[in-house]
Amino acid sequence: MDRLASRVAIIGAGPSGLSALRAFSQAEKNGEKIPEIVCFEKQNDWGGMWNYSWRTGVDEFGEPVHSSMYRHLWSNAPKECLEYGDYSFYQHFQRSIPSFLPREMIRDYIVGRACASDVQKYVCFNSVVRHVEFVADQKHFTLRFHNLVTGKNKSENFDYVIVAVGHFSVPNVPSFDGIDSFPGRILHSHDFRDARQFTNQNILVVGGALSAEDIALQTYKFGAKSITISYRTKPFGYGWPPEIEELPLLTHIDGRTVHFKDGSKRTIDSIILCTGYKHHFPFLTEDLQLHTENCLYPDQLFKGIFLQRQPRLAYLGMQKFYYSLPFFDAQAWYLRDVILGRISLPEEEDRASDIRLWRERGKQLSGPSEVDLLAAAAMFKLGRVHKQENILEFRDKLFTSPFTGTPSVANPICWIDAKDDRIL
Amino acid sequence: MDRLASRVAIIGAGPSGLSALRAFSQAEKNGEKIPEIVCFEKQNDWGGMWNYSWRTGVDEFGEPVHSSMYRHLWSNAPKECLEYGDYSFYQHFQRSIPSFLPREMIRDYIVGRACASDVQKYVCFNSVVRHVEFVADQKHFTLRFHNLVTGKNKSENFDYVIVAVGHFSVPNVPSFDGIDSFPGRILHSHDFRDARQFTNQNILVVGGALSAEDIALQTYKFGAKSITISYRTKPFGYGWPPEIEELPLLTHIDGRTVHFKDGSKRTIDSIILCTGYKHHFPFLTEDLQLHTENCLYPDQLFKGIFLQRQPRLAYLGMQKFYYSLPFFDAQAWYLRDVILGRISLPEEEDRASDIRLWRERGKQLSGPSEVDLLAAAAMFKLGRVHKQENILEFRDKLFTSPFTGTPSVANPICWIDAKDDRIL
C-alpha cells in the first residue's frame, strides 16, 4: 500500500463495480490523479444482475447466464433504503415516484448514475476474466481474459484487483431423495423468468429466504392453483392468502407426490428451488478465493473488503445486504481511498483482530432490523412491519427520501393488480 | 512423433474418451509398453453425455451441466449400427434384445465395456480441466485442472493431449424478434428432461435435425396438445400424426403468438429450441481450439483427429456422426498407434493435402445414406426408410448384428406405448 497503484482491474460492471468506477471518477473530477482502471464486464451492457435476460442456462457464447432476475420482479424494500447519497431518485426521474419499484426502474436508476459519470471509457464489455494469479516475485497480478465477440485471449498485469462479480448468480442446488424421477419441471430460482409459466399449476417452492417469499407471491399473483412453501428452519408466518401454505422440509419425492417432515404430502406440478446462491470465483487461484456463506461479515475480509492474506485483492458487495446500493458506495469509497493512499491499511495482525471483533458483533445481531443505519434502517424496519401486517399490500406503502425529503407518490394501481413490467 | 510419448492426457471419460482408454489398455494387455495416461473427467462417473441428470443449467459445483439427455430418450438408429467390434450387445446382455434401445441400456453397454477393461485406474473423476497451453520451448503441454470436491487446483505436463469432451453439450441458442417478452417457457433441447412437462400444451419446436424430430415425437407421445415444428431449410416430411405440423422459420413473436415466414401464426405455450450445439473449448488456448460447424470432416484435423498446427493435440469424435461408438473406436485405435509410434504422421503439407481431399469428397455427399460402411450402413439406410414409412413405428423394427449375427427380438410393447425408461 506504500505507493500509488498504477493499474487497477475491476471485475464486473454491475452495481458494485459501478460504485467503484464512480468513486474513482469523482476523485478524478476533483483534480486528483487516479490509477489506470480497466473494468472487465462479461455481458454486453452494464447493470449486472439487473440486466434481465430471457435466457437460462448458458448464454449465446456458452457462458453461464449471469442474471437471476425475473420479468415481474419488484424491489422488496422501499427505494428510500437503497438511494445513492450523491444521486437521488428525484434527480434521476425528475418527479416523485412510488416507494416500491419494478425491476426496470431500478436498473434505469443504477445505469442512470453511471451514464451521468464519465466511466464508460473504463469498461471492456463482452470480456470474461478467465484466470487471475498473483505473481509474487513481480508483486503484481496477472489477469487473463477472453473477448467473447472476437474470440481473442489476452493477459495483462495489475497492481490491484477488485472482485465485483456479485454472489447471486451461481445457484446452490440441493438434491432430494427421488428428485431424479419427478416428472414435472424442476428449476432453481436463478432460472425463474415469468410467473405465467405456472398458471393453474400446483407449485412447490423450497426455501425460507427472500426468493422463496417473493416467488411464492409472484406465482400466486399470476394464477398458480396452489403454492406450498417448504422451509428448513421456520415458516415466514405471513398472512398468506389461502392458496399459499407453509410446510416443513420435504423428505422425499415419489413420482409427482412430495412428502414432508410432518408426514403430509402434496401432488406437485413444478418444483422451484429457492435455495440460495454460492460465492463462486473459479477464475481466481485458490489462495485468492473467498470462501463464505451468505452473511453480514464474511471471514478473511478486512472491513468486509480486503482479502486478509493478499489485501491488494479486494471484494465488493460480498455481504448479505439490506441497503445494497449505498452499501456498495461506502465500500467503494473506502477502497478507493486505500488505493489512492489516503488511508493506510493496518498490519496483518491488527486487521485480523478487527475482523474478529466485527464478526463477533455480527453474531450478536438477531436479524436485519438490528442493523442501524438511521433513517434507512427505520424505513427498512417499517417495511418489515408492513409485510407482517399484509404481505399482499406492503409494496403499496409510501416512504420519504432520507437524502432529499422527497415523498413518494402512490401507484395508480396496486402491486397485486400490476401485471406488466412497465415503468410506473 | 519421433519418440514414445511418456505422458498422455485424455480430457473426458465419455464414449470417445473411453474408446481411447480401451485402445491403450488393449495394447498393454498384449504386452506392449504404453505411456502414462491420465483421463480427466468432470463428472463423478463415466459415460459422458449418457449420464442422465435431472439438473439443468449449472450443476452442484456451479459447472455447466454436461448432459443433454432426456429421461425417455431411445436410440434413433438400430443398435446394430453402433455396436463395438470387440464387445457385442449379446456379450454384454447375454441375451437377444430389440434393435432400438432406451438410453439406460445404451449407457449400460458403453460402461459395461469400460468395466470389462482395466481402465478405471486412469480416470480422475470430479476433475475439470481449466486451461491447456503448449509450452513451445519445453515441447510439452501444461494442463491446469481443478478438483471439484477438494477445491484444489493443480498443473501437470503432458506430451499429448486428447480432447474427448464431445460436442453436444454447449447449446447454440439463437434469438428471435420478440422472444424477450414471450410469457411462456423457452428452453433449448439441452435442458429438455421429461416430456410430461408439456402434456396438454401447444409446443413450438424450432429446428430441422434429430433433436427437433425426436422431441416433437416425445412431446406427442406424452400428450402435448399440438406440436408445431419450425424449420429453416426444409420440412422432415414424415407421416406425422395430425397433432404435429411443420411450418417454415418463425419471423417474430408477439406475446404468445408466434408468426412464421409463410404468414401463418400459432398461439404457443412453450418454445423448445432444437437449434444444435457448439464445438466449444474455452479451456484451450486460442491456437489449440478447433473451430468448426457440425460436419463430416471438420477442417484442420488430419484424419479427423490431429490438429494441423499442433498434431500432438488430438480431437476425438468431433464429427457429425452416424455410427458413433465404432467410429470412436476407429479414431482411438489410429490415434493410439500414432502415439505408440506404429504409424508416422506425414509432413504438414501432405497432411494439408489429405485434409483438402477428404473435405472435397465429403462435400460431394448428399447425406448420410451415401456414407458406406457395409453392413452397418445398409442397416442405417434401412432405418431411414422405415422412418419415412412410419415415423411412429420405426423403433419397433428388428435388425441383426453385423458382428455376431445375433438377431434382435421384438419388444413386448411397442415404442409409442412404452412410457417408462426401464431396461427392456
Side-chain angles (χ1 to χ4, degrees):
Chain A
M1 315 294 142
D2 46 1
R3 62 186 175 102
L4 181 64
S6 60
R7 297 200 86 213
V8 176
I10 301 172
I11 308 177
S16 63
L18 290 176
S19 284
L21 289 173
R22 171 84 169 185
F24 281 107
S25 80
Q26 292 297 93
E28 192 177 35
K29 215 170 167 181
N30 295 333
E32 197 143 354
K33 187 171 155 45
I34 64 165
E36 186 189 342
I37 292 169
V38 186
C39 177
F40 298 94
E41 171 53 54
K42 162 174 139 163
Q43 301 185 68
N44 64 6
D45 200 357
W46 49 21
M49 180 56 63
W50 291 92
N51 291 331
Y52 175 80
S53 171
W54 61 271
R55 294 176 186 272
T56 56
V58 296
D59 67 15
E60 63 270 46
F61 301 110
E63 297 293 317
V65 169
H66 183 76
S67 185
S68 303
M69 287 274 152
Y70 34 95
R71 199 189 311 275
H72 299 98
L73 180 139
W74 284 36
S75 69
N76 53 22
K79 75 175 192 301
E80 286 76 9
C81 292
L82 44 87
E83 190 161 31
Y84 288 125
D86 65 350
Y87 188 80
S88 69
F89 280 99
Y90 193 88
Q91 181 181 349
H92 179 75
F93 288 104
Q94 296 286 307
R95 61 190 167 97
S96 282
I97 52 173
S99 276
F100 286 86
L101 303 178
R103 173 181 57 73
E104 191 53 45
M105 287 183 81
I106 297 177
R107 181 177 184 280
D108 201 70
Y109 173 66
I110 295 169
V111 167
R113 188 178 74 157
C115 292
S117 326
D118 183 27
V119 297
Q120 188 157 355
K121 62 188 177 194
Y122 299 124
V123 187
C124 301
F125 291 104
N126 300 304
S127 295
V128 56
V129 172
R130 291 272 188 239
H131 190 63
V132 178
E133 61 183 316
F134 186 71
V135 186
D137 56 353
Q138 314 225 11
K139 291 193 177 148
H140 64 221
F141 297 93
T142 298
L143 182 152
R144 187 162 48 76
F145 62 100
H146 175 74
N147 186 303
L148 294 166
V149 174
T150 64
K152 298 288 173 202
N153 291 314
K154 214 180 148 191
S155 283
E156 292 191 8
N157 299 328
F158 292 93
D159 301 287
Y160 276 84
V161 173
I162 301 173
V163 181
V165 300
H167 61 96
F168 293 118
S169 206
V170 180
N172 173 53
V173 192
S175 188
F176 295 94
D177 188 22
I179 201 168
D180 54 344
S181 55
F182 177 72
R185 183 171 173 195
I186 306 164
L187 70 161
H188 188 275
S189 50
H190 175 59
D191 294 326
F192 181 83
R193 288 291 178 271
D194 195 311
R196 289 171 287 181
Q197 296 168 20
F198 302 93
T199 303
N200 290 325
Q201 289 196 9
N202 298 302
I203 306 297
L204 174 64
V205 169
V206 182
L210 288 171
S211 301
E213 170 190 307
D214 202 51
I215 285 176
L217 269 178
Q218 289 281 329
T219 49
Y220 165 74
K221 181 172 170 176
F222 288 93
K225 195 188 294 172
S226 76
I227 299 112
T228 302
I229 303 176
S230 173
Y231 58 86
R232 192 168 48 185
T233 316
K234 59 181 198 327
F236 293 106
Y238 296 125
W240 295 117
E243 290 84 352
I244 302 183
E245 65 168 347
E246 301 197 65
L247 289 178
L249 198 61
L250 62 155
T251 53
H252 62 286
I253 303 170
D254 182 11
R256 287 198 185 273
T257 307
V258 180
H259 296 261
F260 301 86
K261 263 190 168 171
D262 63 356
S264 58
K265 54 185 181 181
R266 296 289 179 275
T267 302
I268 295 295
D269 296 309
S270 291
I271 299 175
I272 308 178
L273 299 168
C274 300
T275 44
Y277 293 87
K278 289 172 191 285
H279 287 70
H280 189 65
F281 313 101
F283 53 88
L284 302 176
T285 53
E286 250 170 283
D287 56 319
L288 300 178
Q289 287 182 10
L290 173 68
H291 296 283
T292 182
E293 76 283 22
N294 193 20
C295 66
L296 276 178
Y297 208 105
D299 201 5
Q300 301 301 317
L301 290 186
F302 176 65
K303 296 297 176 201
I305 303 170
F306 303 91
L307 188 66
Q308 179 65 336
R309 56 190 170 279
Q310 176 48 271
R312 288 182 179 275
L313 189 95
Y315 283 91
L316 284 183
M318 287 303 152
Q319 290 70 14
K320 179 171 182 170
F321 29 74
Y322 297 104
Y323 312 98
S324 52
L325 305 181
F327 179 84
F328 301 151
D329 270 9
Q331 290 196 317
W333 259 255
Y334 189 92
L335 165 61
R336 176 201 70 180
D337 284 356
V338 168
I339 293 177
L340 294 183
R342 293 175 178 178
I343 297 174
S344 295
L345 290 189
E347 293 304 311
E348 184 165 359
E349 196 36 60
D350 296 331
R351 298 200 307 270
S353 320
D354 191 76
I355 293 173
R356 275 194 300 276
L357 175 74
W358 281 96
R359 281 176 59 84
E360 276 311 310
R361 294 181 68 177
K363 275 181 203 153
Q364 274 140 46
L365 296 173
S366 65
S369 304
E370 291 194 32
V371 184
D372 201 346
L373 283 172
L374 306 174
M379 286 185 289
F380 185 80
K381 290 176 197 175
L382 187 56
R384 288 168 57 91
V385 172
H386 290 157
K387 235 187 225 182
Q388 290 295 343
E389 285 173 359
N390 192 327
I391 186 72
L392 301 182
E393 292 175 9
F394 79 92
R395 281 190 171 99
D396 301 320
K397 301 289 183 184
L398 301 175
F399 294 80
T400 294
S401 166
F403 296 113
T404 62
T406 314
S408 292
V409 296
N411 279 331
I413 180 170
C414 61
W415 175 83
I416 193 70
D417 295 321
K419 295 193 176 171
D420 60 30
D421 53 350
R422 281 179 308 195
I423 287 201
L424 298 172
Chain B
M1 317 296 140
D2 45 3
R3 62 189 175 102
L4 181 62
S6 61
R7 298 199 85 212
V8 176
I10 300 173
I11 308 177
S16 63
L18 291 175
S19 284
L21 288 174
R22 171 83 170 186
F24 282 107
S25 80
Q26 292 296 91
E28 193 177 34
K29 214 170 167 181
N30 294 334
E32 197 144 353
K33 187 170 158 45
I34 65 165
E36 186 190 341
I37 292 169
V38 186
C39 177
F40 298 94
E41 171 54 52
K42 160 173 139 165
Q43 301 185 68
N44 63 7
D45 200 357
W46 49 21
M49 180 55 63
W50 291 91
N51 290 331
Y52 174 80
S53 171
W54 60 271
R55 294 174 187 273
T56 55
V58 296
D59 68 14
E60 63 271 45
F61 301 109
E63 296 294 316
V65 169
H66 183 77
S67 185
S68 304
M69 286 274 152
Y70 32 96
R71 201 189 311 275
H72 300 98
L73 180 139
W74 284 35
S75 69
N76 53 22
K79 74 176 192 301
E80 286 75 9
C81 293
L82 43 88
E83 190 161 30
Y84 288 126
D86 64 352
Y87 188 80
S88 71
F89 280 99
Y90 192 88
Q91 181 181 348
H92 179 75
F93 288 103
Q94 296 287 305
R95 60 190 169 94
S96 282
I97 52 172
S99 277
F100 286 86
L101 302 179
R103 172 182 57 73
E104 191 53 45
M105 288 182 81
I106 296 177
R107 180 177 184 279
D108 200 71
Y109 172 67
I110 294 169
V111 166
R113 187 178 74 158
C115 292
S117 326
D118 183 26
V119 298
Q120 189 157 353
K121 63 189 177 194
Y122 299 124
V123 187
C124 300
F125 291 104
N126 300 303
S127 297
V128 56
V129 172
R130 291 273 188 240
H131 190 64
V132 178
E133 61 183 314
F134 187 71
V135 186
D137 56 353
Q138 314 225 13
K139 289 192 179 153
H140 64 222
F141 297 92
T142 297
L143 182 151
R144 186 161 48 76
F145 62 101
H146 175 74
N147 186 303
L148 295 167
V149 173
T150 66
K152 299 287 171 202
N153 291 313
K154 217 180 145 190
S155 283
E156 293 190 7
N157 298 327
F158 292 93
D159 302 287
Y160 275 84
V161 172
I162 301 172
V163 181
V165 299
H167 61 96
F168 292 119
S169 206
V170 180
N172 174 53
V173 192
S175 188
F176 294 94
D177 189 20
I179 200 169
D180 54 345
S181 54
F182 178 71
R185 183 171 173 193
I186 307 164
L187 70 162
H188 188 273
S189 50
H190 174 59
D191 294 326
F192 181 82
R193 288 291 176 271
D194 194 312
R196 290 171 288 181
Q197 297 168 19
F198 302 92
T199 303
N200 290 325
Q201 290 194 10
N202 298 301
I203 306 297
L204 173 65
V205 169
V206 181
L210 288 172
S211 300
E213 169 190 310
D214 202 49
I215 286 177
L217 267 179
Q218 289 281 328
T219 48
Y220 165 74
K221 180 172 170 176
F222 288 93
K225 195 188 293 172
S226 76
I227 300 111
T228 302
I229 303 175
S230 172
Y231 58 85
R232 191 168 49 187
T233 317
K234 60 179 197 328
F236 292 106
Y238 296 126
W240 295 117
E243 290 82 354
I244 302 182
E245 65 168 348
E246 300 196 66
L247 290 178
L249 197 60
L250 62 156
T251 53
H252 62 288
I253 303 170
D254 182 9
R256 287 198 186 275
T257 307
V258 179
H259 296 261
F260 301 86
K261 263 190 168 171
D262 63 355
S264 57
K265 55 185 179 178
R266 295 290 180 274
T267 302
I268 294 296
D269 297 308
S270 293
I271 299 175
I272 308 177
L273 299 167
C274 300
T275 43
Y277 293 87
K278 289 173 192 285
H279 287 70
H280 189 64
F281 313 102
F283 53 88
L284 301 176
T285 53
E286 251 172 282
D287 56 319
L288 300 177
Q289 288 181 8
L290 174 68
H291 296 281
T292 181
E293 76 283 22
N294 193 20
C295 67
L296 276 178
Y297 209 104
D299 201 5
Q300 301 300 318
L301 290 187
F302 176 64
K303 296 298 176 200
I305 303 171
F306 303 92
L307 187 67
Q308 179 66 335
R309 56 189 171 278
Q310 175 48 271
R312 287 181 181 275
L313 189 96
Y315 284 89
L316 283 184
M318 288 302 152
Q319 290 69 16
K320 180 171 181 171
F321 27 76
Y322 298 104
Y323 313 98
S324 52
L325 304 181
F327 179 83
F328 301 151
D329 270 8
Q331 289 196 316
W333 259 255
Y334 189 92
L335 166 61
R336 177 200 70 180
D337 284 355
V338 168
I339 293 178
L340 294 182
R342 293 175 178 179
I343 298 174
S344 296
L345 292 188
E347 293 304 311
E348 183 165 359
E349 197 36 63
D350 295 332
R351 299 200 305 271
S353 320
D354 190 76
I355 293 173
R356 275 195 299 277
L357 174 74
W358 281 97
R359 281 174 60 82
E360 276 310 311
R361 294 181 67 179
K363 276 182 204 153
Q364 272 140 48
L365 296 172
S366 64
S369 305
E370 289 195 34
V371 184
D372 201 344
L373 284 172
L374 306 173
M379 286 185 290
F380 185 81
K381 290 176 195 174
L382 187 54
R384 289 167 57 91
V385 171
H386 290 156
K387 236 187 226 183
Q388 290 294 343
E389 286 172 359
N390 191 328
I391 186 71
L392 301 182
E393 292 175 10
F394 78 92
R395 283 191 170 98
D396 301 319
K397 301 288 185 185
L398 301 175
F399 294 82
T400 295
S401 166
F403 296 113
T404 62
T406 313
S408 294
V409 295
N411 279 331
I413 179 170
C414 62
W415 175 82
I416 193 71
D417 295 321
K419 293 193 176 169
D420 60 31
D421 51 351
R422 281 179 308 195
I423 287 202
L424 298 172

